[in-house]
């Protein structure tokens, strides 16, 4: 039997998300996971391209050349992490999960999200390509920021364990609960990355853009943030919720409860460490400080802790500590009129076919 098309597949109506029979037809007749499909369709409606901002990034050359060193450093160290993290996500998702996905809904959605992460990573690359004359020096400067690599390591370690286990499964097709656990932890790590780790960097970028500097970069990163906040992170949570409704998924959670709690705690701590580095050497930013950003980290970790029914850290804020972020993380803020701006956020599929049950009178046509 071909692993690329399963002619004997007989579980289309209720195929499991993962580790079911291998995929056959790309099936839209059955919709066992409507919330996953809806999130996938949201990503297609929010489609955009990194080239939409390339010309605008040219104006940032002056900002990079003339801005205060603190602002320059903050932009560069944030670019380092964001570019590296999205580059990782763009490759890790499908390469890890392809051998174990058995649902059309899940395959289509994660394939699209992987493509979306490629756009994110390419956008950061375009910022460097268009924002600097000496791109090679800046690229090497970014790659030399060890703290960015350390920040990402917590997530990447979980990714790599799942990646290796999945590739082995693709070869031998030997299933075990241990394998399922590693895939489950992969999704948990992805959720932590997209719901917690990106958020402090977004806040720093938007705080700088609030001052009028690097506004094209702020607008591009806003689109990335909207994707992560409104689609990617909710998608991770929806997948985890579905997995935990299965016997294997619930067992994976119970077997790894302490490991999951530690992962979330470690991610939060890595953000504290990152912010301490960002604000070291006397660096300051208008409108934000390390204390408010630490609270912002906890504010964004709050739904992750709550989803798994873990107790919150005692200093978790009860309301958003960065009010200016409310305007930046607002999907309606990027839905401008076509004549006013170049619309990367313009929703596709704006027309809905609702005439399937109508009979038209075609006489005289």
């Amino acid at each position: 039997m071909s692993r690329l098309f399963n002619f004997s597949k007989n579980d289309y109506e209720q195929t499991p998300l993962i580790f079911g029979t291998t995929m056959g037809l790309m099936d839209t007749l059955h919709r066992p996971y409507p919330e996953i499909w809806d999130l996938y369709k949201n990503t297609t409606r929010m489609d955009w391209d990194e080239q939409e901002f390339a010309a605008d990034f040219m104006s940032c050359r002056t900002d990079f050349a003339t801005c205060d060193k603190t602002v320059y450093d903050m932009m560069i160290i944030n670019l380092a992490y964001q570019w590296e993290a999205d580059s990782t996500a763009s490759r890790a998702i499908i390469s890890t999960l392809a051998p174990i996905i058995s649902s059309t809904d899940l395959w289509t959605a994660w394939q699209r999200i992987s493509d979306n992460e490629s756009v994110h990573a390419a956008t950061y690359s375009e910022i460097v390509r268009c924002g600097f004359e000496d791109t090679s020096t800046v690229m090497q400067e970014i790659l030399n920021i060890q703290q960015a690599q350390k920040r990402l390591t917590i997530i990447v370690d979980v990714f790599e364990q799942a990646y290796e286990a999945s590739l082995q499964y693709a070869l031998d097709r030997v299933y075990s609960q241990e394998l399922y656990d590693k895939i489950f932890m992969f999704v948990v790590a992805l959720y932590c990355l997209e719901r917690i780790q990106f958020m402090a960097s977004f806040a720093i970028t938007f705080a700088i853009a609030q001052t009028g500097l690097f506004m094209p970069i702020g607008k591009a990163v806003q689109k990335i943030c909207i994707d992560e906040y409104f689609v990617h992170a909710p998608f991770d949570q929806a997948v985890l919720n579905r997995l935990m409704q299965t016997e294997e998924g619930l067992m994976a959670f119970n077997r790894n409860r302490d490991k999951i709690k530690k992962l979330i705690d470690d991610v939060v701590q890595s953000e504290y460490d990152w912010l301490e580095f960002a604000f070291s050497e006397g660096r300051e930013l208008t409108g934000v400080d390390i204390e408010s950003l630490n609270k912002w980290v906890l504010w964004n970790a709050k739904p992750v802790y709550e989803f798994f029914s873990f107790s919150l850290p005692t200093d978790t804020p009860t309301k958003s500590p960065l009010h200016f972020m409310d305007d930046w993380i607002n999907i309606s803020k990027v839905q401008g009129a076509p004549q006013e701006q170049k619309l990367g956020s313009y929703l596709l599929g704006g027309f809905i076919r609702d005439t399937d049950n109508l009979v038209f009178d075609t006489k005289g046509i």
Side-chain angles (χ1 to χ4, degrees), residues 77-129:
I77 63 178
N78 269 297
L79 277 173
Y81 173 75
Q82 291 167 307
W83 192 0
E84 291 167 4
D86 278 325
S87 295
T88 301
S90 71
R91 291 187 292 270
I93 296 172
I94 285 298
S95 62
T96 300
L97 300 172
I100 58 92
I101 296 174
S102 47
S103 158
T104 290
D105 291 0
L106 191 59
W107 172 264
T108 309
W110 253 329
Q111 187 179 46
R112 184 70 183 202
I113 287 173
S114 293
D115 176 69
N116 202 214
E117 293 290 7
S118 294
V119 172
H120 294 180
T123 299
Y124 293 119
S125 183
E126 286 296 293
I127 290 170
V128 173
R129 186 179 72 84

Side-chain angles (χ1 to χ4, degrees), residues 91 219 346 350:
R91 291 187 292 270
K219 286 295 184 181
Y346 195 74

Side-chain angles (χ1 to χ4, degrees), residues 103 132 158 164 179 194 199 236 278 308 318 335:
S103 158
F132 298 90
V158 178
E164 292 176 3
L179 170 62
E194 297 182 313
M199 301 309 293
D236 299 333
F308 293 110
T318 56
Q335 294 297 324

